């Protein structure tokens, strides 16, 4: 199979099942953004230092999940093919989030993204996860068929990346910098969860 197919030369692309749509179609935007998310996570993984190489298998598993999200988003109709993302995926993410969060000091303010190169890159990954989530919500609002587990998984992923970034910085001795004008927010395990961009919804 050739790398180039020329099928997109007129601004169209093919969905699973053969339907052709414009490349700016909300579905293409959604799975294109998850593709960006997966690629940026790959870059983050390349920044892992020797002290945290044990995280690599888990992060690659997360990449596999993101690829599954992309694949499910490329399916225009439920039933055309079995969805890959299932409820156990976000439950696994919740378990990992809780594990890392327990290793981090409590916070009651938003914090500025930063720290080690790896942690800083994970914060960028987090923001793309949020954008992917917004794309999927818009796709749903356009009355398109979407695997609901993809939206849940993306919502958990942004929390996951935030918590892992904090975990890395804590282990590296990096001082977390509060957002000076932050209102008081709650830590995980209290009334609601916060990350450094917005309270959990």
């Amino acid at each position: 199979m050739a790398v180039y197919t020329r099928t997109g030369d007129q601004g169209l692309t093919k969905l699973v099942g053969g339907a052709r749509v414009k490349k700016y179609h909300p579905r293409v935007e959604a799975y294109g953004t998850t593709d960006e998310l997966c690629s940026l996570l790959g870059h983050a993984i390349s920044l892992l230092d020797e002290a945290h190489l044990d995280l690599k298998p888990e992060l690659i598993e997360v990449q596999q999940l993101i690829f599954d999200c992309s694949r499910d988003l490329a399916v225009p109709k439920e039933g055309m093919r079995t969805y890959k993302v299932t409820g156990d995926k976000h439950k696994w993410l919740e378990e990992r989030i809780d594990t890392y969060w327990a290793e981090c000091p409590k916070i009651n303010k938003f914090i500025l993204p930063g720290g080690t190169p790896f942690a800083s890159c994970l914060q960028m990954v987090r923001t793309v996860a949020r954008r992917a989530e917004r794309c999927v919500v818009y796709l749903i609002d356009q009355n398109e068929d979407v695997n609901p587990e993809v939206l849940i998984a993306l919502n958990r992923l942004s929390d996951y990346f935030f918590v892992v970034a904090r975990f890395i910085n804590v282990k590296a001795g990096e001082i977390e910098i509060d957002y000076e004008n932050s209102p008081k927010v709650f830590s995980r395990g209290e009334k609601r969860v916060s990350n450094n961009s917005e309270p959990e919804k």
Side-chain angles (χ1 to χ4, degrees):
M1 179 179 177
V3 174
Y4 56 89
T5 63
R6 301 189 179 94
T7 57
D9 290 352
Q10 302 304 313
L12 298 171
T13 192
K14 188 183 295 184
L15 301 176
V16 173
R20 289 183 180 274
V21 296
K22 289 286 189 179
K23 289 192 172 185
Y24 57 73
H25 189 281
R27 185 171 295 279
V28 180
E29 184 68 24
Y31 69 69
T33 305
T34 54
D35 183 29
E36 180 184 349
L37 173 62
C38 192
S39 298
L40 187 56
L41 178 55
H43 174 62
I45 292 170
S46 74
L47 298 177
L48 276 170
D49 56 29
E50 292 292 332
H52 301 104
L53 280 179
D54 57 323
L55 283 172
K56 187 172 182 178
E58 179 176 306
L59 292 172
I60 290 175
E61 187 170 354
V62 172
Q63 272 193 302
Q64 296 282 356
L65 170 57
I66 296 169
F67 220 106
D68 282 343
C69 289
S70 296
R71 182 243 167 249
D72 281 1
L73 289 170
V75 179
K77 295 287 185 182
E78 184 178 4
M80 293 184 67
R81 201 181 285 182
T82 304
Y83 285 143
K84 298 292 185 183
V85 182
T86 53
D88 61 312
K89 304 296 186 181
H90 73 258
K91 291 178 182 177
W92 174 73
L93 285 171
E94 288 172 356
E95 292 172 357
R96 302 311 304 147
I97 289 168
D98 290 341
T99 297
Y100 293 122
W101 193 259
E103 298 294 322
C104 297
K106 288 186 176 182
I107 53 174
N108 59 11
K109 290 185 176 181
F110 292 132
I111 59 174
L112 301 181
T116 71
F118 174 63
S120 299
C121 192
L122 278 185
Q123 291 286 8
M124 294 173 65
V125 175
R126 173 186 60 80
T127 64
V128 177
R130 281 297 192 203
R131 177 153 52 86
E133 183 184 0
R134 294 193 297 271
C135 289
V136 173
V137 171
Y138 181 74
L139 185 62
I140 293 170
D141 282 353
Q142 299 304 302
N143 296 315
E144 293 275 344
D145 283 336
V146 174
N147 177 5
E149 293 296 339
V150 168
L151 181 59
I152 297 172
L154 289 172
N155 186 260
R156 295 299 181 278
L157 279 170
S158 60
D159 288 332
Y160 172 83
F161 294 129
F162 172 70
V163 173
V164 176
R166 286 200 69 210
F167 172 78
I168 292 296
N169 279 335
V170 168
K171 295 300 181 184
E174 291 282 342
I175 297 174
E176 295 180 312
I177 302 173
D178 290 341
Y179 165 49
E180 292 179 355
N181 294 319
S182 174
K184 185 175 181 181
V185 293
F186 297 96
S187 295
R188 182 171 292 280
E190 296 179 312
K191 290 185 179 179
R192 66 178 179 181
V193 179
S194 67
N195 65 30
N196 64 340
S197 64
E198 57 185 304
E200 173 69 6
K201 305 279 194 307

